[in-house]
Amino acid sequence: MNVVRVGFIELWVRDLERSLAFYQGLLGFRLERREGGVAYLRGYEELEWSLKLKEAPFPAVRALGFKVASEEDLSALKAFAEERGLPHALESDWGRPRILRLQDPFGYPLAFYFQAEKLPRVLQRYHEHRGPGILRIDHLNVFSPEVAEAVRFYREALAFRLTEYTEDEEGRLWAAWLHRKGNVHDLAFTNGEGPRLHHFAYWLPDALSILRAADILAGAMETDRIERGPGRHGISNAMFLYLKDPDGHRIELYTSDYLTVDPDHPPLRWSLNDPRRQTLWGHRTPKSWFLEGSPFLDLEDRPLPTRASSLEGMPQHVI
Amino acid sequence: MNVVRVGFIELWVRDLERSLAFYQGLLGFRLERREGGVAYLRGYEELEWSLKLKEAPFPAVRALGFKVASEEDLSALKAFAEERGLPHALESDWGRPRILRLQDPFGYPLAFYFQAEKLPRVLQRYHEHRGPGILRIDHLNVFSPEVAEAVRFYREALAFRLTEYTEDEEGRLWAAWLHRKGNVHDLAFTNGEGPRLHHFAYWLPDALSILRAADILAGAMETDRIERGPGRHGISNAMFLYLKDPDGHRIELYTSDYLTVDPDHPPLRWSLNDPRRQTLWGHRTPKSWFLEGSPFLDLEDRPLPTRASSLEGMPQHVI
Amino acid sequence: MNVVRVGFIELWVRDLERSLAFYQGLLGFRLERREGGVAYLRGYEELEWSLKLKEAPFPAVRALGFKVASEEDLSALKAFAEERGLPHALESDWGRPRILRLQDPFGYPLAFYFQAEKLPRVLQRYHEHRGPGILRIDHLNVFSPEVAEAVRFYREALAFRLTEYTEDEEGRLWAAWLHRKGNVHDLAFTNGEGPRLHHFAYWLPDALSILRAADILAGAMETDRIERGPGRHGISNAMFLYLKDPDGHRIELYTSDYLTVDPDHPPLRWSLNDPRRQTLWGHRTPKSWFLEGSPFLDLEDRPLPTRASSLEGMPQHVI
Amino acid sequence: MNVVRVGFIELWVRDLERSLAFYQGLLGFRLERREGGVAYLRGYEELEWSLKLKEAPFPAVRALGFKVASEEDLSALKAFAEERGLPHALESDWGRPRILRLQDPFGYPLAFYFQAEKLPRVLQRYHEHRGPGILRIDHLNVFSPEVAEAVRFYREALAFRLTEYTEDEEGRLWAAWLHRKGNVHDLAFTNGEGPRLHHFAYWLPDALSILRAADILAGAMETDRIERGPGRHGISNAMFLYLKDPDGHRIELYTSDYLTVDPDHPPLRWSLNDPRRQTLWGHRTPKSWFLEGSPFLDLEDRPLPTRASSLEGMPQHVI
Ligand SMILES: [Ca+2]
Ligand SMILES: [Fe+2]
Ligand SMILES: [Fe+2]
Ligand SMILES: [Fe+2]
Ligand SMILES: [Fe+2]
């Protein structure tokens, strides 16, 4: 059950035209296919689509996609789902003949796949690049009312590896960053009412690209889309910018974390109230960032109920 | 009375060692001379010193230095001071034989000079550069309880040129940016209790240097020095970072505004409550930024009394 | 006769469509007006057009435009031309009612103007910016067979100010950089067969933009347009990239030189064979760079004859 | 025999002081330990040393270090060496109790290790960073007279994965890029007299850091150290700068290639005479780059004999 990396996210949006104006028009995502109310997009480095938008009556997240190493890994995951009694189903999508949808024990709607039709390489077609230069999907971050349990499951059952985590003074786990592909994370868990999506993130070439994204949004009079940043995270050391799309889905533009491939790479502990944790430069985080998220769908495309977390409160360093 | 550009600032600091740890140690200013309780520093592009620090019992600003075009301009300024009855005095300093100190009608302690001993060129001695790469002094920004009057004086008597300004809906002037050297400003006035210094600013090579300054402060566990930014101004279009030095003097790291040499360059009007005015990306400005400043000294080195402004309140877009 | 800055260049090109594919399509110049075989373009910071392209039977440079400080300066220049017997003529162009064409004593076709209709400000309309981010015209560089004489004329008659120059060991002047606007140059002279245009240059926001221009050209399979760079000049300290447009006109993308407004700013001498002069990093310069240029037109739009230089040879540091 | 990544390189240098002036003084490597004639250095992101310099009578490369996933992998490699009859030996070094030296069938002196004492994390101690900001070792590149055979061995015996390769029109392999860690390469083979080291490479934060390295060398009057670049590779898409250290060892500063973790990631073919292959911008490569390399030592620290390649000539796109 070798998970290679985060592979895609599938979002329900209320107005596809408006969403494309944001993702394609402002952020410069490359639109690869649009038919009916569905659009498939990718970053300039990717050979597979990574963002699927579907027009729907309400905003939601239908799938958190992960690429696995082979068709055998898919079969092993299917056997695992059956053994554990986890809801699951096979489906296909554009260029992806076999996708295993699977709800994990906490409710997150995962989607595993191996085969994917390769799109033409456009990384070096720089004259066609638009916007700040979105390169590739980097990670997913989800709210969980039981971070410790979720982290244990992903480490033990799916062999995710811990790189950084946030603890309070009583040793309770508030957030954790887990990876498969060799940088800080493919998947992170944040304490809060869940399951909900906190954000999904794309890799950009460098810090200046992050600033350019903010400039582009300001130019378009869309500063309301900017929720937090640009800044440098303490956690992950990455430069970031958090945006809210027209449906309130949060996307992070992200770059410059570090290599974590060593099996003996030591996880880094952060104290919950360390002012450099969220933003290395000491900036306060807006409350919305701790509270707002996107609902998930279950495997029948119904809104997934959420649960409150028993870890109440939020870090002190907010505005 | 041809003023060429802002030339230097002279600060009183309580602990010179501590100030040098900040300006030289963290920001990488080049220390050119230190004797007794006085230090002279410059940026890497400058051929003259531009920052003078003097150990003193309390923090204050002793002089706002402007370079003029010739010794004749100095003499004309002296004649002007005599004619207007403005307090003034000649003094000399390291490498500057003739400095005309002059208190303008509002109390600001100006210091004009032409002759200045040239220091060796170090712009291309890149292996010696430290910190984020401070290049040159760019501008001064002062609190004024009578912005409109001050702007009129500097435009009419000293031929400063207006590039941008902030008005409220009643047409009252809250802030103005004035230049001599051909970019957005050498001197700006901000409404508030004054005369006080709001900040002084240095030019850096590019936006990444600004981010590097924030990283360096964070690395040194000095995030409390970061008051605002990094961000991009609406006004001036520059990238900025505001820091408070160990005495509370505010320094801005600044880059990438625009050329304003055309005599018919049209001043740009901003509305007081435009959220893109202070930070193009819509960030709110901390209240301290509107309230805190450094006291000036008069020509006898006594603290200069301040007056409240009749324009009360502050922009809505604050935190 | 107060010259403010370089203002525009007017080029004859053989295929306007092809030239616009280069300037607008790849470099992202903003096309402001196109009618018949003529196009007017500008950079994102400019409020006036700065590049005029005209379809014509052969490539040539029709005018080197300089903005002056007032209509009175124009009249003074006209009187100067009459007094010196220099060919001159008044014309008007789009948004510019009064342009004084004037051939200097060496044959260079200058064009002086003050009045210019202001175009809408687009500097902060970042969502509309394309290409590497061309900001504003920065300087012109011309071949001259008599650099020393030309420099003397521009300094004495037009008050240009010298910032840097190249001398050989016998003290002969090979090249000089002269400014009016306060950075390294508005106009430079390079030894060689002339009068011809060596290149014209535009300012970009930062070094990364320069690299992006190279990427864009490579993406479009137009690497043959890249003649030299990216690199950092020794002279001027600027980052640069030299391109040849479809007619062989050379354009430089340029950024990050330094402030030169001080009247006592000391000119910087470079030795002809200093390997860091052309490119600070020691790169050799291609021979084409020393040999190829664009012909000028005289005031009747006929090709201007050129003269060889008595200073023969080229620097040793070439490929 | 799970190889995780390239881990270190061990160089013989003739004058350790002079080498440290280059690696530590100019490039900003962090010196972690120096005793006798040996120095251990690392980049700012690394938790283990990655560069070992040893003063010796002549310049050479003693070891190409690779980190493996566990002590069991080391044992498996030892068994493999015994089975294949490959010279091998165990040794220990500073903080690394068990290093398996092993000469591969072509003569390359490999050194595998798992255990390594972790050094304190300095990635976010930005105030201590010096030079252009060396982050971590990225890859090794070696000359081989039998590229095809070497690539086959590393793919089959050590599970390296091919990302890019250069072929001529007869389908002969001239160069190949192989990885384990998930970016373009940990190890590359280049046709030529070998075994010799072509270069070793370190990752930097972004393209501007690469330019800064060139500036620093120019500032220090060390432009002779710059052999090629800065530029962007066609192959790998990375920004690069090649330097020669005081002993002629070639080091590349490298950044911004792409993610290659997918098992179905398709290798990219380049044609030998594609002008965008070596430098995307079309720059010619100096001949020295195809000819010069560093000798290896065998397991008894004697110079390893080299063999000429039967693939003669070099790409057309050279200077
Ligand atoms: Ca449409
Ligand atoms: Fe994130
Ligand atoms: Fe300012
Ligand atoms: Fe130039
Ligand atoms: Fe390399």
Side-chain angles (χ1 to χ4, degrees):
Chain A
M1 300 196 304
N2 186 359
V3 176
V4 175
R5 62 172 175 91
V6 58
F8 70 91
I9 189 166
E10 182 174 347
L11 301 177
W12 277 16
V13 298
R14 286 164 299 173
D15 180 337
L16 184 59
E17 200 66 39
R18 186 179 59 173
S19 294
L20 287 176
F22 177 74
Y23 286 106
Q24 181 190 19
L26 295 177
L27 297 188
F29 273 83
R30 201 174 150 101
L31 176 64
E32 290 297 338
R33 180 184 173 99
R34 180 178 177 180
E35 76 172 55
V38 180
Y40 299 86
L41 303 100
R42 64 164 162 156
Y44 293 102
E45 181 183 317
E46 294 177 310
L47 301 177
E48 308 179 354
W49 59 262
S50 60
L51 175 61
K52 179 178 174 183
L53 304 175
K54 186 181 172 186
E55 202 164 76
F58 56 91
V61 181
R62 186 175 177 271
L64 302 176
F66 291 91
K67 176 142 184 143
V68 296
S70 67
E71 290 296 314
E72 291 67 44
D73 288 295
L74 267 195
S75 302
L77 279 161
K78 188 161 184 301
F80 172 79
E82 279 158 9
E83 181 196 316
R84 293 278 189 114
L86 299 172
H88 60 283
L90 282 170
E91 69 179 25
S92 61
D93 205 333
W94 179 50
R96 300 196 184 165
R98 200 159 167 251
I99 297 173
L100 176 66
R101 301 195 70 204
L102 182 164
Q103 228 175 338
D104 83 359
F106 313 94
Y108 298 103
L110 310 179
F112 297 99
Y113 70 102
F114 168 62
Q115 279 187 65
E117 195 185 309
K118 299 297 181 187
L119 300 167
R121 190 173 187 257
V122 294
L123 177 57
Q124 294 182 325
R125 297 184 65 81
Y126 285 105
H127 58 308
E128 297 179 357
H129 295 201
R130 290 291 176 272
I134 299 283
L135 287 180
R136 62 176 183 263
I137 193 164
D138 186 80
H139 63 263
L140 306 170
N141 186 313
V142 295
F143 275 122
S144 167
E146 55 246 325
V147 170
E149 291 80 356
V151 168
R152 193 175 312 119
F153 174 81
Y154 278 82
R155 295 179 78 175
E156 292 175 1
L158 295 171
F160 277 71
R161 294 167 52 200
L162 182 69
T163 55
E164 307 202 16
Y165 61 101
T166 301
E167 264 185 5
D168 62 19
E169 291 168 23
E170 289 90 62
R172 293 175 304 186
L173 193 64
W174 283 69
W177 286 260
L178 302 169
H179 84 96
R180 287 291 306 164
K181 71 178 166 308
N183 71 340
V184 171
H185 55 323
D186 289 278
L187 181 60
F189 293 92
T190 297
N191 175 63
E193 180 195 335
R196 288 183 300 156
L197 179 75
H198 189 279
H199 67 267
F200 62 104
Y202 274 80
W203 186 271
L204 271 78
D206 51 37
L208 270 193
S209 310
I210 304 274
L211 304 184
R212 190 140 54 104
D215 284 338
I216 288 170
L217 288 161
M221 300 291 176
E222 297 276 2
T223 55
D224 287 351
R225 301 258 162 269
I226 299 176
E227 184 191 30
R228 183 182 160 208
R232 185 187 294 283
H233 286 306
I235 292 162
S236 82
N237 197 48
M239 282 290 307
F240 69 86
L241 175 67
Y242 290 100
L243 308 174
K244 289 291 203 89
D245 87 358
D247 290 283
H249 300 306
R250 188 184 284 112
I251 176 173
E252 181 184 17
L253 308 184
Y254 179 95
T255 192
S256 298
D257 61 2
Y258 55 89
L259 192 70
T260 62
V261 291
D262 289 0
D264 56 349
H265 186 82
L268 186 64
R269 182 191 179 278
W270 291 87
S271 170
L272 182 62
N273 283 317
D274 183 338
R276 304 194 322 157
R277 184 180 72 96
Q278 292 278 2
T279 301
L280 189 67
W281 305 332
H283 293 169
R284 292 174 186 276
T285 301
K287 278 182 192 152
S288 63
W289 199 86
F290 292 101
L291 298 175
E292 297 172 10
S294 298
F296 284 117
L297 299 179
D298 67 16
L299 295 200
E300 278 76 43
D301 290 349
R302 295 167 308 202
L304 189 74
T306 60
R307 289 159 276 126
S309 171
S310 61
L311 284 182
E312 284 175 28
M314 56 176 76
Q316 295 158 5
H317 206 69
V318 298
I319 46 173
Chain B
M1 299 196 305
N2 187 359
V3 176
V4 176
R5 61 172 175 90
V6 58
F8 71 89
I9 190 166
E10 182 174 348
L11 301 178
W12 277 16
V13 300
R14 287 164 297 173
D15 179 338
L16 183 59
E17 201 63 43
R18 185 179 59 173
S19 294
L20 287 176
F22 177 74
Y23 286 106
Q24 181 190 21
L26 294 178
L27 296 187
F29 273 83
R30 199 173 152 101
L31 176 64
E32 290 297 338
R33 181 184 172 98
R34 179 178 178 181
E35 76 173 54
V38 180
Y40 298 86
L41 303 100
R42 63 163 163 157
Y44 293 103
E45 181 183 316
E46 294 176 309
L47 300 178
E48 306 178 355
W49 59 262
S50 60
L51 175 61
K52 179 178 174 183
L53 304 176
K54 186 181 172 187
E55 201 164 76
F58 56 90
V61 181
R62 186 174 178 273
L64 302 176
F66 290 90
K67 177 145 184 141
V68 296
S70 67
E71 290 296 314
E72 291 68 45
D73 288 296
L74 266 196
S75 303
L77 279 160
K78 189 161 184 300
F80 172 80
E82 279 159 9
E83 179 195 318
R84 294 278 189 115
L86 299 173
H88 60 283
L90 282 170
E91 67 179 26
S92 61
D93 205 334
W94 178 52
R96 300 195 183 166
R98 199 159 168 251
I99 297 173
L100 176 67
R101 301 195 69 204
L102 183 163
Q103 228 176 338
D104 82 2
F106 313 95
Y108 299 103
L110 310 178
F112 297 99
Y113 71 102
F114 167 63
Q115 278 187 64
E117 194 186 309
K118 300 297 182 186
L119 300 167
R121 189 173 189 255
V122 294
L123 178 57
Q124 295 182 323
R125 298 184 63 82
Y126 285 105
H127 58 307
E128 296 179 357
H129 295 202
R130 290 292 175 271
I134 299 284
L135 287 180
R136 62 176 182 262
I137 193 164
D138 186 80
H139 63 262
L140 307 170
N141 187 313
V142 295
F143 275 122
S144 168
E146 55 244 325
V147 171
E149 291 79 356
V151 167
R152 193 176 312 119
F153 175 81
Y154 278 83
R155 295 179 77 176
E156 293 176 2
L158 294 171
F160 279 69
R161 294 167 52 200
L162 182 69
T163 54
E164 307 203 16
Y165 60 101
T166 301
E167 264 185 5
D168 62 19
E169 292 169 22
E170 289 91 61
R172 295 175 301 188
L173 193 64
W174 284 68
W177 287 260
L178 302 169
H179 84 95
R180 286 293 307 163
K181 72 178 165 305
N183 71 340
V184 172
H185 55 322
D186 289 278
L187 180 60
F189 293 92
T190 298
N191 175 63
E193 180 195 336
R196 287 183 300 156
L197 178 75
H198 190 279
H199 66 268
F200 62 104
Y202 274 81
W203 186 270
L204 272 78
D206 52 37
L208 271 193
S209 310
I210 304 276
L211 304 184
R212 192 139 54 105
D215 285 338
I216 288 170
L217 288 160
M221 300 289 177
E222 296 276 2
T223 56
D224 287 352
R225 301 258 162 268
I226 300 177
E227 184 191 31
R228 183 182 160 208
R232 185 188 293 282
H233 285 305
I235 292 161
S236 82
N237 197 47
M239 283 289 307
F240 69 87
L241 176 67
Y242 290 100
L243 307 175
K244 290 290 202 87
D245 87 357
D247 289 283
H249 299 307
R250 188 184 283 112
I251 176 173
E252 182 185 17
L253 309 185
Y254 179 95
T255 193
S256 298
D257 61 3
Y258 55 88
L259 192 70
T260 62
V261 290
D262 288 0
D264 57 349
H265 186 82
L268 186 64
R269 181 192 180 277
W270 291 87
S271 171
L272 183 63
N273 283 315
D274 183 338
R276 304 194 322 157
R277 185 180 71 95
Q278 292 278 4
T279 302
L280 189 67
W281 306 331
H283 294 170
R284 291 173 185 278
T285 300
K287 277 181 193 153
S288 63
W289 200 86
F290 292 100
L291 299 175
E292 298 172 8
S294 298
F296 283 117
L297 300 180
D298 67 16
L299 295 200
E300 280 76 42
D301 290 350
R302 294 168 309 202
L304 188 74
T306 60
R307 289 158 276 124
S309 170
S310 59
L311 284 182
E312 283 175 29
M314 58 176 74
Q316 296 158 8
H317 206 69
V318 298
I319 46 174
Chain C
M1 300 197 301
N2 187 359
V3 176
V4 176
R5 61 171 174 92
V6 59
F8 70 90
I9 190 166
E10 182 174 347
L11 301 177
W12 277 15
V13 298
R14 285 164 300 172
D15 180 337
L16 184 59
E17 201 64 43
R18 186 180 58 174
S19 294
L20 288 175
F22 176 74
Y23 287 106
Q24 180 190 21
L26 294 177
L27 296 188
F29 273 82
R30 201 174 151 101
L31 175 64
E32 290 297 337
R33 179 184 173 99
R34 180 179 177 180
E35 76 172 55
V38 180
Y40 298 86
L41 302 101
R42 63 163 161 157
Y44 293 104
E45 181 183 316
E46 294 177 308
L47 300 177
E48 308 178 353
W49 59 262
S50 59
L51 175 61
K52 179 177 174 183
L53 305 175
K54 185 179 173 187
E55 201 163 76
F58 56 90
V61 180
R62 187 175 177 273
L64 303 177
F66 290 90
K67 177 144 185 142
V68 296
S70 68
E71 290 297 315
E72 291 67 44
D73 288 296
L74 266 196
S75 302
L77 279 161
K78 189 161 183 301
F80 172 79
E82 281 158 9
E83 180 194 318
R84 294 277 189 116
L86 300 173
H88 61 283
L90 281 170
E91 68 178 28
S92 62
D93 204 334
W94 178 51
R96 299 194 185 167
R98 199 160 167 253
I99 297 174
L100 176 66
R101 301 194 71 203
L102 183 163
Q103 228 175 338
D104 82 2
F106 313 94
Y108 299 103
L110 310 178
F112 297 99
Y113 70 102
F114 168 63
Q115 278 187 65
E117 195 186 309
K118 299 297 183 187
L119 301 167
R121 189 173 188 258
V122 295
L123 177 57
Q124 295 182 324
R125 298 184 65 80
Y126 284 105
H127 58 307
E128 297 178 357
H129 294 201
R130 289 292 176 272
I134 299 283
L135 287 180
R136 63 176 182 264
I137 193 164
D138 186 79
H139 63 264
L140 306 170
N141 187 313
V142 295
F143 275 122
S144 168
E146 54 244 326
V147 170
E149 290 79 356
V151 167
R152 192 174 314 119
F153 175 81
Y154 277 83
R155 296 179 76 175
E156 292 175 3
L158 295 171
F160 278 70
R161 294 166 52 201
L162 181 70
T163 54
E164 307 202 15
Y165 61 101
T166 300
E167 264 183 5
D168 61 20
E169 291 168 24
E170 289 91 62
R172 294 176 302 187
L173 193 63
W174 283 68
W177 287 259
L178 302 170
H179 84 95
R180 285 293 307 163
K181 72 178 166 309
N183 70 341
V184 172
H185 54 324
D186 289 277
L187 180 60
F189 293 92
T190 297
N191 175 63
E193 182 196 334
R196 288 183 300 155
L197 179 75
H198 189 280
H199 67 269
F200 62 104
Y202 274 81
W203 186 271
L204 271 78
D206 52 37
L208 270 193
S209 309
I210 304 276
L211 304 184
R212 190 139 55 104
D215 285 338
I216 288 170
L217 288 161
M221 300 289 176
E222 298 275 1
T223 55
D224 287 350
R225 301 257 161 271
I226 300 176
E227 184 192 31
R228 184 181 160 209
R232 185 187 294 282
H233 285 307
I235 293 162
S236 82
N237 197 47
M239 282 290 306
F240 69 87
L241 176 67
Y242 290 99
L243 307 175
K244 290 289 203 89
D245 87 357
D247 289 283
H249 298 307
R250 188 184 282 111
I251 176 173
E252 181 185 18
L253 309 184
Y254 179 95
T255 193
S256 297
D257 60 3
Y258 56 89
L259 192 69
T260 61
V261 291
D262 289 1
D264 56 350
H265 185 82
L268 187 63
R269 181 190 179 278
W270 291 87
S271 171
L272 182 63
N273 283 315
D274 183 338
R276 304 194 322 157
R277 185 181 71 96
Q278 292 279 3
T279 300
L280 189 66
W281 306 331
H283 293 169
R284 292 173 185 276
T285 301
K287 278 181 193 153
S288 63
W289 200 85
F290 291 101
L291 299 175
E292 299 173 8
S294 297
F296 283 118
L297 299 178
D298 66 16
L299 294 200
E300 280 74 43
D301 289 350
R302 294 168 308 203
L304 188 72
T306 59
R307 288 160 276 127
S309 171
S310 60
L311 284 181
E312 283 175 29
M314 57 176 73
Q316 296 158 6
H317 206 69
V318 299
I319 45 174
Chain D
M1 300 196 302
N2 187 0
V3 175
V4 175
R5 61 172 175 92
V6 59
F8 70 90
I9 189 165
E10 182 174 347
L11 300 177
W12 277 16
V13 299
R14 287 164 298 173
D15 180 337
L16 183 58
E17 202 63 43
R18 185 180 60 174
S19 294
L20 288 175
F22 177 73
Y23 286 106
Q24 181 190 19
L26 295 177
L27 297 187
F29 274 81
R30 201 173 151 100
L31 176 64
E32 290 297 338
R33 179 184 173 98
R34 180 179 177 179
E35 77 171 54
V38 180
Y40 299 85
L41 303 100
R42 62 163 163 157
Y44 293 103
E45 180 183 318
E46 294 176 309
L47 300 177
E48 308 178 354
W49 58 262
S50 60
L51 175 61
K52 179 178 174 182
L53 304 175
K54 186 180 171 185
E55 202 164 74
F58 57 90
V61 181
R62 187 175 178 272
L64 303 176
F66 290 91
K67 177 144 183 141
V68 296
S70 68
E71 291 296 315
E72 290 69 44
D73 288 295
L74 265 196
S75 303
L77 278 161
K78 189 161 184 298
F80 172 79
E82 280 159 7
E83 180 194 318
R84 295 277 188 117
L86 300 172
H88 60 283
L90 282 171
E91 68 179 27
S92 61
D93 205 334
W94 179 50
R96 301 197 183 163
R98 200 161 168 252
I99 296 173
L100 176 66
R101 301 194 70 203
L102 183 164
Q103 228 176 337
D104 82 1
F106 313 94
Y108 298 104
L110 311 178
F112 297 99
Y113 70 102
F114 167 62
Q115 278 187 66
E117 195 186 309
K118 299 298 181 186
L119 300 167
R121 189 174 189 258
V122 294
L123 177 57
Q124 295 182 324
R125 298 183 64 81
Y126 284 106
H127 58 307
E128 296 179 358
H129 295 200
R130 289 294 176 269
I134 299 283
L135 287 180
R136 62 175 183 263
I137 193 165
D138 186 80
H139 63 264
L140 306 171
N141 187 312
V142 295
F143 275 122
S144 167
E146 56 244 327
V147 171
E149 291 78 357
V151 168
R152 192 175 312 119
F153 175 80
Y154 277 83
R155 295 179 76 176
E156 292 176 2
L158 294 172
F160 278 70
R161 293 167 53 200
L162 181 70
T163 55
E164 307 203 15
Y165 61 101
T166 300
E167 263 184 6
D168 62 19
E169 291 168 23
E170 288 90 63
R172 294 176 303 187
L173 193 63
W174 284 67
W177 286 259
L178 302 169
H179 85 95
R180 285 292 307 164
K181 71 178 165 311
N183 70 340
V184 172
H185 55 322
D186 289 278
L187 180 60
F189 293 92
T190 297
N191 175 64
E193 181 197 334
R196 287 182 301 155
L197 180 75
H198 190 279
H199 67 267
F200 62 104
Y202 273 80
W203 186 270
L204 271 78
D206 51 38
L208 270 193
S209 310
I210 304 276
L211 304 184
R212 190 139 54 104
D215 284 338
I216 288 170
L217 287 161
M221 300 290 176
E222 297 275 2
T223 54
D224 287 351
R225 301 256 162 271
I226 299 177
E227 183 191 31
R228 183 181 160 207
R232 185 187 295 282
H233 285 305
I235 292 162
S236 83
N237 197 47
M239 283 290 305
F240 70 86
L241 176 66
Y242 290 99
L243 308 174
K244 290 290 203 90
D245 87 358
D247 289 283
H249 299 306
R250 188 185 282 111
I251 176 173
E252 182 184 16
L253 308 185
Y254 179 95
T255 192
S256 297
D257 61 2
Y258 56 87
L259 192 70
T260 61
V261 291
D262 289 1
D264 57 349
H265 185 81
L268 186 64
R269 181 190 179 279
W270 291 87
S271 171
L272 181 62
N273 283 315
D274 183 339
R276 306 194 320 157
R277 185 180 72 97
Q278 292 278 4
T279 301
L280 189 66
W281 306 332
H283 294 169
R284 291 174 188 276
T285 301
K287 277 181 194 152
S288 63
W289 199 86
F290 291 102
L291 298 175
E292 298 172 8
S294 297
F296 283 118
L297 300 178
D298 68 16
L299 295 201
E300 278 76 42
D301 290 350
R302 295 168 308 202
L304 189 72
T306 61
R307 288 159 276 126
S309 171
S310 60
L311 284 182
E312 285 176 26
M314 58 176 72
Q316 296 159 5
H317 206 69
V318 297
I319 45 174

